Amino acid sequence: MTGQGFGVVRPLPGNGLVAYLGGLLLVCDPGEATADGLLEALRETAASGGDGRALARRAAQVLAANMAGDPAACAVAGPVSGGVAVLVSGAASASVVTSSGETRLAGSDSLTWADRLVTGTVERVELSLPGAGSPHPAVRFDGGVVHGGGLVGDLTDRPAAPAPSRPLTSEMPATAFHLEADLVPQPQPQPAPQPAPQPQPQSQPVERPPYPLADQPPAMPSPPSGPQPVPSAADQPYHTPQDQPSYDQPPPYDQPPYHTPQDQHPPYGPPQDQAPYHHQEPPPLPEPQQYPSYDEQPPSGNGLPDQQAPQHLGAPDAFGEQPPPPPPGQQEQQPEHGDRPLVYGVDCKNDHFNDPRVPYCAVCGIALVQRTLVPYKGPRPSLGVLILDDGTALPLESDYLLGRDPERAPEVAGGTARPAKVTSPDGSVSRRHLRVALDGWDVNLVDLGSVNGTQIQPPGDPNFYDIPPNEPVTIAPGTTVRVGVSRTLRYEAHRG
C-alpha cells in the first residue's frame, strides 16, 4: 500500500456507481436505498483522514440501518497499517492479491455483510458488481464519482521511468586533450629584440598512456630498452648477504623450522626398533543376571501365581508426551469422560483434578505440594466461563467462534467450534470475528482477521492492547476482552 491509496486505479464498465476519494474505494448499486448514505460515509471518512477500517465501520452502520429486504449490493476498501480493510455486501465481490496469495470475499456468503482485514504487501485490489467488464489499460481514474461496475487498484502498475538524458561534457571521461576557448592564449605585442639565448637541450615529449576502454585492461608502461644499471650494495641498505643467516628471514618452505634429524626418534613416539604398544581388550564382563521387570508378566512355571503387571505411575518428562504403550494383550483402561479431551494433571487431597502448574486447587483452594504429586492423564474439566456484557455465559468446555454470523462459519460447520453470536449496533463485529481455542489447560484467543480487531485488558492493567490477527494469544483469568468497538466479555476461571 502507498500513502496515496491504491496506486493506479481504473474503473470497470458497468451500470453502478464507483467512487475514489482520499485513497478510499466504493462500489454500489445506485438503485439501492443505501447508495446516498454510503457516498456520504465515503466523503466524511475521506475528509476526516480516516483509513479503511473507519470506512468499513461507517459502511456497516449504513447497512445496519437499512436491513429491510435483501442486503444491498456494495463494496468498500481502504488501506490500513500493514494491509487493507474490505467490506462486501449482497451481490458485490472483492479480490485482494498480496505477496502471499489471493483473498476473495463475496457478500452472498453472509446473511448481512462480510468484512476482512487482509495483511501483507498488497499488490492489487478489485471491487466489482455483477456484470462488470474488464478495465481498459489506457483509462485511469484519478478521483471522484462516476458510472461503472467496479474499480481496480493496481500497485504494481508504475509509469515507465524516463530515459536517461545525454550526460554533459564535464561528466564524460577525459579521453582526449582539449582546451576551453577562454584558456587559449591570445597574441601579444612583440617586445624589443633581445640577445639570442643560449641553446638549451630539448626535453623529450611526455607520452601519455591511452585511456582504457571498458573491455580492455589499462595499458602498463613497458620497461625501457637497453642495458639497465645494476644497483650496488650501497644502494640497498640493510642488505643481508646470501651466505649469512638472517634472524628476521623465515626458513625456506622446504625445511621445517624445527626439523627432527633422521637419526633421532620423533618426540612422544616409540623407537623405530621397538614394536608399538598394542591396546589389549579387557576381558568380557560376565552376563548380567536377568531380574524380572515390573512392566512384564513373570514367566509361567516359576512357582508364582499368575498376576497382572501393575500400571506404570511414573511422571513423564513433559506433560505433552504420550505415556508408554500398554503391554501386549492388554487394553488401556480409560474412564468414561464423554467428549472431554485427556490432559495431564494432578489430584489434590480432595481428589479434584487440577492443572499441574498451579499452586492451589481451583475447586477447594487447598495447597498442591508438587513434589508429592504424580501427574496422570485424565479428562479435562471446564476451564471456567466467558461472561459477555449482556450476561450470556459460555462454559469453557470446548472451542467457540464469536461473530455476527457464526453459524455459517466453516469451523462451526466442521464441528470444531461452537457458535456464539455477538452483534453490535455500530456494525463493528465481523461475521467471523474471534475464536476461543482451548489448548491443554490454556485459553487462547485468535482474531480471524476482523476489520475492527480484538483488544485484551490483562487483570490489574487499565489499558487495552490489540492482539495480532490469526495468531493465538493466551489469556489469564480475569482478562477483559473487547470485540470490535463496543462489545466486551470477561474470562473467569472459578470452578465449583
Side-chain angles (χ1 to χ4, degrees):
M1 300 301 297
T2 62
Q4 293 75 23
F6 294 96
V8 177
V9 178
R10 292 185 172 87
L12 306 180
N15 298 322
L17 285 179
V18 295
Y20 180 37
L21 297 175
L24 306 174
L25 303 179
L26 168 65
V27 175
C28 65
D29 188 348
E32 301 285 354
T34 58
D36 294 338
L38 292 173
L39 288 174
E40 184 64 22
L42 175 65
R43 293 189 181 98
E44 293 180 358
T45 306
S48 61
D51 59 358
R53 184 180 284 108
L55 176 60
R57 188 181 306 125
R58 288 294 309 275
Q61 295 174 0
V62 174
L63 295 175
N66 298 269
M67 295 259 329
D70 296 333
C74 67
V76 299
V80 297
S81 177
V84 58
V86 183
L87 180 146
V88 294
S89 173
S93 61
S95 172
V96 180
V97 179
T98 64
S99 56
S100 58
E102 181 180 8
T103 301
R104 290 182 174 272
L105 292 178
S108 58
D109 294 339
S110 175
L111 295 176
T112 52
W113 61 85
D115 53 9
R116 183 75 60 85
L117 177 63
V118 183
T119 58
T121 303
V122 180
E123 300 176 356
R124 188 174 184 270
V125 176
E126 179 178 347
L127 307 179
S128 61
L129 297 173
S134 300
H136 195 282
V139 177
R140 295 184 55 174
F141 189 29
D142 295 330
V145 181
V146 297
H147 279 285
L151 290 172
V152 173
D154 193 351
L155 279 80
T156 61
D157 190 355
R158 294 286 185 268
S165 59
R166 182 177 180 272
L168 301 177
T169 306
S170 59
E171 299 176 356
M172 295 292 292
T175 57
F177 294 102
H178 65 278
L179 296 176
E180 301 292 343
D182 55 349
L183 299 180
V184 177
Q186 302 296 330
Q188 301 293 334
Q190 297 294 334
Q194 299 293 335
Q198 296 295 331
Q200 299 292 337
Q202 298 182 359
S203 60
Q204 297 294 334
V206 178
E207 295 183 359
R208 298 179 181 271
Y211 187 82
L213 300 178
D215 56 349
Q216 296 181 1
M220 301 299 295
S222 58
S225 60
Q228 301 297 323
V230 179
S232 60
D235 296 337
Q236 300 181 3
Y238 310 106
H239 178 69
T240 302
Q242 298 295 333
D243 55 350
Q244 296 183 6
S246 173
Y247 296 99
D248 297 332
Q249 183 178 359
Y253 292 104
D254 56 349
Q255 297 181 6
Y258 304 101
H259 181 67
T260 303
Q262 298 296 330
D263 55 350
Q264 297 183 6
H265 298 294
Y268 310 107
Q272 299 293 335
D273 54 352
Q274 297 182 8
Y277 174 77
H278 293 283
H279 176 70
Q280 297 182 358
E281 295 293 337
L285 296 176
E287 292 294 334
Q289 183 177 0
Q290 300 294 332
Y291 295 96
S293 174
Y294 291 101
D295 295 334
E296 299 178 357
Q297 293 288 347
S300 58
N302 57 356
L304 297 177
D306 294 338
Q307 298 179 359
Q308 293 184 354
Q311 288 185 331
H312 180 72
L313 300 179
D317 295 337
F319 296 115
E321 295 183 1
Q322 299 293 334
Q330 296 186 11
Q331 298 295 332
E332 184 178 2
Q333 300 295 330
Q334 296 291 350
E336 294 294 335
H337 55 81
D339 296 334
R340 292 183 295 172
L342 298 178
V343 294
Y344 280 102
V346 295
D347 284 340
C348 71
K349 292 184 178 180
N350 296 323
D351 294 333
H352 297 141
F353 195 52
N354 285 271
D355 183 352
R357 300 170 298 182
V358 298
Y360 299 98
C361 176
V363 179
C364 62
I366 193 172
L368 301 176
V369 182
Q370 302 296 336
R371 63 176 178 270
T372 62
L373 300 176
V374 178
Y376 69 96
K377 205 169 187 179
R380 181 182 63 196
S382 175
L383 298 183
V385 63
L386 293 178
I387 303 177
L388 276 69
D389 49 11
D390 59 359
T392 304
L394 304 176
L396 292 176
E397 298 176 353
S398 62
D399 292 7
Y400 285 92
L401 192 136
L402 283 68
R404 190 181 64 253
D405 186 17
E407 291 82 4
R408 301 166 63 91
E411 296 87 348
V412 175
T416 59
R418 297 181 183 178
K421 188 171 184 177
V422 179
T423 60
S424 61
D426 54 9
S428 61
V429 179
S430 299
R431 181 176 64 90
R432 293 172 59 254
H433 197 108
L434 177 69
R435 176 163 183 172
V436 180
L438 306 184
D439 183 12
W441 295 90
D442 295 331
V443 177
N444 298 328
L445 302 181
V446 183
D447 183 88
L448 302 176
S450 63
V451 170
N452 294 284
T454 304
Q455 298 82 35
I456 60 174
Q457 183 185 32
D461 194 330
N463 302 317
F464 279 87
Y465 303 94
D466 292 325
I467 66 175
N470 302 314
E471 295 183 11
V473 176
T474 304
I475 59 174
T479 300
T480 300
V481 183
R482 179 185 293 165
V483 181
V485 176
S486 57
R487 297 302 305 272
T488 59
L489 55 93
R490 183 179 177 85
Y491 168 35
E492 297 290 348
H494 300 295
R495 298 191 281 120

